Amino acid sequence: MTVDQGYWAIADYVKRSLFNKLREMTTRINYLDYHEYKRSFEAIHGLLTEEWNRIQKEFRGNPDFNSKRLKGYLLEVLFYYACLKMQANFIDAEIVEMEGVKFKESPPWFEATPLYDIIAPLHHIREKGVRRRRAPQTRADFLITYVDHEGSAPPSMVEVKTRKLQNWRPEWGWQIPAALRRGFIFQIAYPRNGVEYPKNLDEWETVAPCPSCKKLSEDFRKCSECGDEIFPFTIADAHYEAMKLWRMLGKDRKGRF
Ligand SMILES: [Zn+2]
């Protein structure tokens, strides 16, 4: 494929190639043979990094191919892969449960939805020739939801980075209220120290940028750096409020969340 329309055309191609590879490989798996399924799933990680190497070769010498910047898409697809791995484990348990095995607590449900980041930017303002965006607007790479037998964790909008960022990014200033207004939390995910290509979710660090101290907090509710509140409410809180009310009325909700 020849792409000669600059950085964004290449970026689209890179992201699509990597995500298509993941889709293609998960479609091909023989899920009826458990051990083969697990082996094939494990092998996808290597195929994704291979695809990235192939792309780098394809664009060698092209001045519009910014390898450092485009590597972000590899990390995005690896984050998605790690999420799918986690999701697959829970679905496996659910299938076993459907076949009659009894668990004390129903298996959790974890889901990552990739967002394709072509957003029409409202209120892009030019200042001295530089475009700036100031108004809150949703921008994230993934929506993450988690539900277990006790209830739901706050849904999260996650932006994937290739490494831990040391400095506050001005865009977080509008990404945080934009997420909050939809009842979501906003988090940044990056590979844990020393891990170049993470395979599992525990090789990813997830933090929330704190608008008060401008540092990265381990806790999304109360900043682990300055103690200020970051996300005072989420749509998941409504569920727990409703549960409290039900209990006060002497009722109890039974069954799967
Ligand atoms: Zn703080």
Side-chain angles (χ1 to χ4, degrees):
M1 185 190 168
T2 37
V3 179
D4 51 8
Q5 300 140 52
Y7 175 81
W8 287 108
I10 296 177
D12 278 343
Y13 172 71
V14 172
K15 183 158 179 167
R16 277 207 174 272
S17 302
L18 290 166
F19 278 72
N20 276 340
K21 185 65 150 185
L22 180 57
R23 187 171 55 181
E24 185 193 323
M25 296 327 289
T26 45
T27 310
R28 269 202 214 162
I29 290 173
N30 173 14
Y31 290 95
L32 291 174
D33 181 335
Y34 184 77
H35 293 288
E36 194 198 317
Y37 146 41
K38 286 290 161 186
R39 256 198 313 274
S40 312
F41 207 99
E42 206 55 40
I44 293 177
H45 183 270
L47 297 171
L48 292 171
T49 51
E50 252 173 43
E51 178 70 2
W52 169 242
N53 291 336
R54 185 197 65 73
I55 293 168
Q56 278 179 298
K57 266 193 211 129
E58 186 182 337
F59 288 96
R60 190 168 287 158
N62 187 328
D64 288 326
F65 187 85
N66 182 338
S67 174
K68 216 176 148 188
R69 212 169 143 197
L70 292 165
K71 196 182 173 187
Y73 294 123
L74 172 67
L75 272 298
E76 268 182 45
V77 82
L78 291 179
F79 181 77
Y80 191 27
Y81 168 74
C83 289
L84 286 174
K85 218 166 159 184
M86 170 77 84
Q87 194 179 339
N89 286 335
F90 295 146
I91 296 179
D92 291 349
E94 193 138 327
I95 289 169
V96 172
E97 199 190 29
M98 281 171 176
E99 284 169 358
V101 174
K102 290 256 180 289
F103 291 107
K104 242 173 139 182
E105 291 157 354
S106 48
W109 189 260
F110 173 89
E111 200 161 341
T113 308
L115 299 172
Y116 198 64
D117 47 8
I118 297 178
I119 304 166
L122 291 175
H123 285 275
H124 248 205
I125 293 161
R126 265 184 200 281
E127 276 173 340
K128 292 175 190 139
V130 181
R131 273 185 195 276
R132 297 195 198 284
R133 194 179 341 177
R134 288 180 168 162
Q137 200 168 2
T138 301
R139 193 177 78 188
D141 299 317
F142 292 93
L143 300 183
I144 306 281
T145 48
Y146 176 88
V147 174
D148 63 21
H149 66 282
E150 283 185 344
S152 161
S156 173
M157 290 189 176
V158 174
E159 192 162 299
V160 173
K161 296 284 176 204
T162 50
R163 62 191 160 82
K164 182 176 184 174
L165 300 176
Q166 301 304 330
N167 298 318
W168 170 264
R169 291 282 178 96
E171 60 264 33
W172 292 341
W174 51 258
Q175 279 171 292
I176 293 166
L180 186 63
R181 286 172 190 184
R182 302 179 79 166
F184 286 61
I185 60 170
F186 177 72
Q187 290 175 307
I188 309 282
Y190 55 87
R192 271 188 201 282
N193 256 347
V195 184
E196 193 184 11
Y197 300 137
K199 268 189 171 174
N200 303 307
L201 270 187
D202 58 10
E203 289 174 318
W204 286 91
E205 199 89 58
T206 314
V207 291
C210 167
S212 297
C213 69
K214 313 270 192 258
K215 288 186 180 141
L216 297 174
S217 167
E218 284 161 25
D219 192 289
F220 65 84
R221 203 65 92 167
K222 209 172 154 78
C223 177
S224 57
E225 300 293 319
C226 74
D228 267 15
E229 200 171 47
I230 305 178
F231 290 99
F233 63 87
T234 70
I235 38 179
D237 297 334
H239 159 76
Y240 296 100
E241 289 298 319
M243 292 292 274
K244 249 195 270 169
L245 190 66
W246 267 65
R247 247 173 258 131
M248 262 165 55
L249 295 169
K251 294 176 183 172
D252 203 9
R253 187 187 177 276
K254 291 230 165 18
R256 195 177 289 256
F257 179 79

